[in-house]
Amino acid sequence: MARSSKQVPEEDFEEHIVDTDVGDEMRSSFLEYAYSVIYARALPDARDGLKPVQRRILYTMDDLNLRPDRGHVKSARVVGEVMGRLHPHGDSSIYDALVRLIQPWSLRLPLADGHGNFGSQDDPPAAMRYTEVRMHGAAEAMTASINEDTVDFKANYDGRETEPAVLPAALPNLLVNGASGIAVGMATNIAPHNLIEVVQALRHLITTPQADLDDLMRFIPGPDLPTGGKIVGLDGIRDAYDTGNGSFRMRATARIENVTARKKGIVVTELPYNVGPEKVIEAIKKLVLAKKLQGISDIKNLTDRHKGLQLVIEIKNGFIPETILEQLYKSTPMESSFGTNAVALVDGQPRTLGLKEMLEVYLEHRLQVVRRRTQFRRNKAAARLHLLEGLLLALVDIDEVIQLIRGSDNPADAKERLRSVFDLSEAQADYILGRTLGSLTRLSSLDIEREADELRRAIEQLDAILADDQSLRRVVGDELNEMAQKFGTPRRTVLLESSGQKATSASPLEVSDDPCWALLSATGLLARTSDDSPLGAVDRRVKHDTIVSAARATARGDIGVVMADGRIQRISVLDLPALPPTVQSPNLQGGVPLPEIPGLEGTALALVGLRDDGPGFALGTRDGIVKRVRPEVLSRDSWDVITLADGDVLVGAVELATGDEDLVFVTSDAQLLHFSASLVRPQGRAGGGVAGVKLSTGERAVSFGAVTDMSSAHVVTVAGSGSALPGTQNGAVKVSPLAIYPAKGRATGGVRCQRLLRGEDGLLLAWVGDGIPMACATSGSPVELPAPTDRRDGSGVPAAQPILAVSGPPGGLPQPVATDATAHTDMQD
């Protein structure tokens, strides 16, 4: 292209030159840049807890109808829509924000559901062209009722579209998911919290607006981090809640156990927030190479999707693992600090907020959202009622209406004649004219009257909410409670005082001494329910687990854990994490592992109530010994309930209800014996029991339990080869009613309960209990059991995968069984 040779006069240039001071220009430009970073990128809004890019992502996914019940779409599509319509910045920053909304170790309650490789705590995600995304259920709650005039909209960057200035946010996202960001001259760093605790605090603030910080900390004792772990020292938490600035120490969750037959090791299962296992491994290696840390022979990262985080640190013989663990806390990221700087936008201005201020800002936002939504629905119902009332007036003389319309020259003439004859408004006349002649003749006045009555009742209820502030607050509180029930999960992070004692929340769910149930799962997790609801209606199949023992207790009481080595360990029910209220399928993945509680190293067989009355407990050992223990609760934390012979261990324990139950032994050579508990005389703690079942040479008891109803009790046996490695063979499973086996006297040999086929030299596992049994695999997933058979000597059906445990209905759970492999490990230990 040829350039123009026209010369521009020099005086024209001089006319457009503006003489500006460099200092003023730098100051003005820097302020504009700082303003853009602070308000449009780095800081969250205190109302919905979202930065602009996060808000635009959720709004775009809602606009694209990417609901949780719809299929995933490419992440690149969402990123492109956000960038093209609302966020004029790079696609990498948008995708990074989207990835963070998906990662469960980044947010306490993820807002997006991803499909594909979204990275780990150490590794970046795959490119957005390879991953897929859709909204999470919590994101739906954040955008719910956005089309009902609940929030203000503003123009986007080019003025062609509008975007919400804030989301309705039915969830208190700022506290639940926290926030982090670096602006110009300021930064924010807010820790995540537990949704149930935050909702409890908000509901308390609704009814008691004058509540102080101490009142609110009864409900929110501290952060609840996505990665779990421990928080040591609570002084910094209170400072952060009071002033918006404070610091607390996060500590990894670790236990000491035997990693080989001769070596002990430290197993790390939870790390501090924003700390990945590779960072810890690298720090340990540097210390070992610099000879600043001794006693570590190897470190392995066994983390996977099934077991979760598992970092195994092997300790050399001669070194004390507890001492090395303290050195790791001191010198590696296994213990790190979290500095709180609660800065968020309030009315468009950055402010440092304390806990009560954050709750009050969110609560005021929700009150405004619900008020505007109620007004919108009231206006919509009133507009619909107005149209129906006009239609009802016309239907009184439908023939005249039809004749009037047919006799009009044009629609405008028909509208005016309708309005004048029937005294209708313009909207009512338009509505009638908009309907076809056929629809007018088929309309039922009764249906219209019914709909009009429903609208009048709805308007009356909505007017009551708008007229009474307490009613409005009650609606907000009820909706928050629904969010807690729907999305709430048990606390993951343990709070410890400076002395190392566990801190507890004083919320109604966790402190009042209400009746509850203590639960033990097949994988060794302990938890408690939040109330005393009957467990018989609860589905005992939980995510990757099954409940194998349940005991009635109170929230401030104690329960006993019967261990395989013949002792009862007393534990406080308050130390167990509470399951969310109204949860119908308790997910004990939020429970505390047995080794996390002092004294519970080894195999736990049963949870029992501690009381000095009643028929006591029944115990069965691998050598076929049975014992009834008189109820006796000591002041100690641990005491023996049976004197075991050398090499003997318990295989079952059960708390008796009446003393007339049937006690059942199953032996390794597939013999079953049951007899009345009344045939066993109760003994004291020092007693060694009496002969329960007669064993053949080289055989052992693999199961012991008790049943209360012979007509509903079942027997589950799993046969296989005793020479195979534990957990490697599926075995052959047989289910049969207990009623088909005749009762025999104590200390006899029993009757056959399963025929052993070629390659099966004994039973790997057995269970006897009331109700329909359910099995859990060693991988954690449920295993379907075959239908019951009435053949006492029938053979088993091949199992789909190795079985870890079997349980019955939670309301009257028999105690868990210990496999021979587990008992053998305990003997070695």
Side-chain angles (χ1 to χ4, degrees):
M1 179 181 296
R3 294 185 178 180
S4 173
S5 60
K6 182 178 179 180
Q7 297 294 323
V8 179
E10 185 176 350
E11 57 271 15
D12 291 346
F13 286 109
E14 293 177 354
E15 291 178 0
H16 297 285
I17 295 175
V18 179
D19 190 8
T20 303
D21 182 73
V22 175
D24 294 339
E25 180 63 26
M26 291 292 293
R27 190 177 300 108
S28 174
S29 299
F30 181 79
L31 287 176
E32 290 181 7
Y33 168 74
Y35 181 89
S36 175
V37 172
I38 292 172
Y39 296 95
R41 300 184 71 173
L43 297 184
D45 192 297
R47 294 171 292 179
D48 61 8
L50 297 172
K51 300 178 185 179
V53 64
Q54 297 171 326
R55 186 179 304 114
R56 289 161 178 166
I57 289 172
L58 296 183
Y59 175 66
T60 299
M61 287 198 292
D62 178 76
D63 200 39
L64 293 174
N65 205 22
L66 302 181
R67 307 291 177 186
D69 56 349
R70 304 292 180 90
H72 295 79
V73 301
K74 285 290 185 183
S75 300
R77 180 183 175 188
V78 176
V79 171
E81 287 284 336
V82 173
M83 183 171 60
R85 296 173 53 192
L86 305 174
H87 197 69
H89 299 284
D91 56 352
S92 61
S93 62
I94 300 174
Y95 184 54
D96 289 343
L98 175 60
V99 167
R100 182 175 171 80
L101 295 177
I102 295 170
Q103 294 173 334
W105 59 87
S106 296
L107 299 185
R108 187 60 179 81
L109 181 60
L111 299 177
D113 178 27
H115 181 72
N117 177 17
F118 284 92
S120 67
Q121 291 172 280
D122 296 300
D123 302 316
M128 58 184 171
R129 61 182 178 274
Y130 299 122
T131 60
E132 297 178 337
V133 69
R134 65 182 177 188
M135 297 178 73
H136 189 276
E140 277 194 306
M142 292 294 292
T143 60
S145 70
I146 196 171
N147 296 320
E148 294 182 296
D149 192 32
T150 52
V151 294
D152 294 330
F153 278 70
K154 62 181 181 179
N156 70 333
Y157 67 93
D158 62 1
R160 297 182 181 181
E161 296 188 38
T162 59
E163 61 175 309
V166 66
L167 294 185
L171 293 168
N173 182 65
L174 183 63
L175 273 170
V176 172
N177 281 325
S180 63
I182 300 176
V184 178
M186 62 184 66
T188 185
N189 201 29
I190 304 173
H193 290 75
N194 186 275
L195 173 61
I196 295 176
E197 296 174 354
V198 175
V199 167
Q200 289 174 347
L202 284 168
R203 297 188 70 190
H204 180 71
L205 197 59
I206 289 174
T207 57
T208 315
Q210 67 275 13
D212 59 15
L213 180 60
D214 291 331
D215 293 334
L216 296 176
M217 287 191 67
R218 291 175 52 244
F219 301 94
I220 308 178
D224 186 22
L225 307 175
T227 53
K230 300 180 176 69
I231 293 178
V232 183
L234 305 184
D235 293 339
I237 293 177
R238 198 188 192 286
D239 291 340
Y241 288 168
D242 186 20
T243 65
N245 291 282
S247 178
F248 56 85
R249 288 182 296 147
M250 304 176 293
R251 178 175 287 185
T253 298
R255 63 178 184 269
I256 297 171
E257 63 180 37
N258 288 336
V259 294
T260 66
R262 298 183 179 180
K263 276 191 176 183
K264 286 189 175 292
I266 299 171
V267 180
V268 181
T269 55
E270 293 174 345
L271 287 174
Y273 187 43
N274 291 330
V275 175
E278 294 301 327
K279 186 184 297 186
V280 175
I281 293 173
E282 182 181 358
I284 294 176
K285 287 181 177 179
K286 287 182 178 180
L287 291 173
V288 172
L289 290 175
K291 297 185 179 180
K292 295 181 179 179
L293 182 62
Q294 297 180 349
I296 295 178
S297 61
D298 193 14
I299 181 169
K300 299 176 182 177
N301 187 1
L302 304 182
T303 303
D304 59 31
R305 294 183 179 180
H306 302 289
K307 295 183 294 184
L309 176 67
Q310 192 166 16
L311 204 60
V312 180
I313 305 170
E314 293 186 6
I315 307 300
K316 295 179 181 178
N317 292 330
F319 287 84
I320 302 174
E322 290 79 4
T323 302
I324 294 178
L325 180 58
E326 289 300 321
Q327 291 179 321
L328 291 175
Y329 285 144
K330 183 178 180 181
S331 306
T332 71
M334 284 179 59
E335 182 172 297
S336 57
S337 296
F338 186 98
T340 299
N341 185 28
V343 178
L345 298 177
V346 179
D347 296 329
Q349 300 294 324
R351 284 179 51 190
T352 302
L353 305 173
L355 176 64
K356 184 175 181 180
E357 291 171 300
M358 285 189 279
L359 294 174
E360 287 176 336
V361 170
Y362 172 77
L363 189 57
E364 182 59 34
H365 172 61
R366 279 305 296 173
L367 289 171
Q368 183 179 3
V369 165
V370 174
R371 186 183 297 110
R372 291 178 60 168
R373 183 190 66 193
T374 304
Q375 187 64 55
F376 176 86
R377 293 176 178 176
R378 196 263 180 216
N379 294 341
K380 185 176 180 180
R384 175 64 179 171
L385 178 62
H386 179 65
L387 297 179
L388 294 181
E389 289 173 342
L391 190 57
L392 286 171
L393 288 175
L395 285 176
V396 172
D397 198 349
I398 187 64
D399 293 334
E400 183 178 354
V401 170
I402 296 174
Q403 185 65 33
L404 185 149
I405 295 174
R406 293 182 62 185
S408 301
D409 296 332
N410 50 57
D413 183 38
K415 180 195 297 187
E416 290 301 324
R417 296 179 65 185
L418 279 174
R419 293 187 63 185
S420 61
V421 172
F422 294 97
D423 195 20
L424 302 176
S425 68
E426 184 175 355
Q428 290 172 328
D430 287 334
Y431 181 66
I432 295 172
L433 289 173
R435 309 192 68 89
T436 63
L437 181 61
S439 66
L440 286 175
T441 57
R442 290 195 306 268
L443 284 174
S444 170
S445 59
L446 292 178
D447 292 340
I448 297 176
E449 284 284 2
R450 188 180 302 111
E451 183 182 356
D453 290 340
E454 292 175 356
L455 289 172
R456 292 187 186 97
R457 287 193 295 270
I459 292 173
E460 183 179 354
Q461 294 173 357
L462 295 172
D463 284 337
I465 295 174
L466 292 172
D468 183 18
D469 184 67
Q470 293 301 318
S471 297
L472 182 66
R473 288 176 170 268
R474 194 179 306 114
V475 172
V476 173
D478 292 342
E479 291 182 355
L480 286 171
N481 189 48
E482 291 177 8
M483 293 296 101
Q485 293 176 5
K486 186 174 182 180
F487 300 110
T489 55
R491 167 172 280 275
R492 298 176 187 172
T493 302
V494 177
L495 303 178
L496 300 176
E497 302 284 1
S498 299
S499 61
Q501 297 297 319
K502 186 176 296 186
T504 60
S505 163
S507 67
L509 283 181
E510 297 189 6
V511 164
S512 57
D513 197 23
D514 296 329
C516 63
W517 288 83
L519 307 173
L520 171 67
S521 79
T523 57
L525 298 176
L526 286 167
R528 61 183 171 92
T529 60
S530 57
D531 53 36
D532 194 31
S533 300
L535 289 181
V538 174
D539 183 2
R540 63 193 181 279
R541 179 182 298 180
V542 296
K543 183 180 180 183
H544 303 309
D545 214 339
T546 182
I547 300 173
V548 293
S549 183
R552 286 186 180 274
T554 61
R556 284 191 172 274
D558 294 333
I559 60 168
V561 184
V562 182
M563 308 299 292
D565 57 6
R567 61 188 170 90
I568 285 183
Q569 178 71 35
R570 181 201 303 269
I571 64 173
S572 172
V573 178
L574 199 61
D575 288 341
L576 307 182
L579 300 174
T582 71
V583 173
Q584 293 302 308
S585 295
N587 182 354
L588 294 194
Q589 290 295 313
V592 59
L594 287 167
E596 288 292 313
I597 298 180
L600 294 188
E601 297 80 9
T603 300
L605 295 179
L607 304 181
V608 295
L610 297 179
R611 58 178 185 270
D612 289 322
D613 57 353
F617 315 126
L619 310 171
T621 78
R622 189 172 59 181
D623 289 348
I625 301 298
V626 63
K627 179 183 179 182
R628 280 187 60 183
V629 186
R630 295 191 184 99
E632 185 177 6
V633 179
L634 304 183
S635 59
R636 302 195 296 267
D637 289 336
S638 178
W639 61 91
D640 293 333
V641 289
I642 184 173
T643 300
L644 294 171
D646 291 341
D648 198 8
V649 294
L650 292 180
V651 295
V654 64
E655 185 175 9
L656 301 176
T658 63
D660 295 324
E661 293 88 347
D662 270 32
L663 305 181
V664 189
F665 274 101
V666 181
T667 66
S668 57
D669 56 346
Q671 298 293 312
L672 183 147
L673 174 67
H674 68 93
F675 52 88
S676 174
S678 60
L679 300 178
V680 183
R681 182 175 58 87
Q683 295 180 330
R685 290 186 301 106
V690 296
V693 60
K694 183 178 180 180
L695 298 174
S696 302
T697 303
E699 303 300 335
R700 65 202 180 281
V702 297
S703 173
F704 173 79
V707 298
T708 56
D709 185 1
M710 290 289 294
S711 63
S712 65
H714 285 82
V715 181
V716 179
T717 52
V718 182
S721 172
S723 61
L725 293 175
T728 60
Q729 58 177 328
N730 297 0
V733 187
K734 176 175 176 283
V735 181
S736 55
L738 181 60
I740 66 175
Y741 301 98
K744 298 182 68 175
R746 180 180 61 81
T748 59
V751 295
R752 178 184 293 178
C753 57
Q754 181 168 344
R755 181 182 297 275
L756 301 179
L757 303 179
R758 180 177 299 178
E760 301 171 354
D761 53 16
L763 295 183
L764 305 175
L765 179 145
W767 173 88
V768 181
D770 295 307
I772 305 300
M774 177 174 290
C776 173
T778 54
S779 63
S781 59
V783 177
E784 295 297 330
L785 296 175
T789 175
D790 290 335
R791 293 186 57 189
R792 290 191 303 183
D793 61 345
S795 58
V797 177
Q801 50 187 318
I803 295 178
L804 170 66
V806 181
S807 72
L813 277 174
Q815 308 312 323
V817 294
T819 64
D820 180 58
T822 305
H824 182 63
T825 302
D826 293 334
M827 284 184 58
Q828 289 181 336
D829 294 343

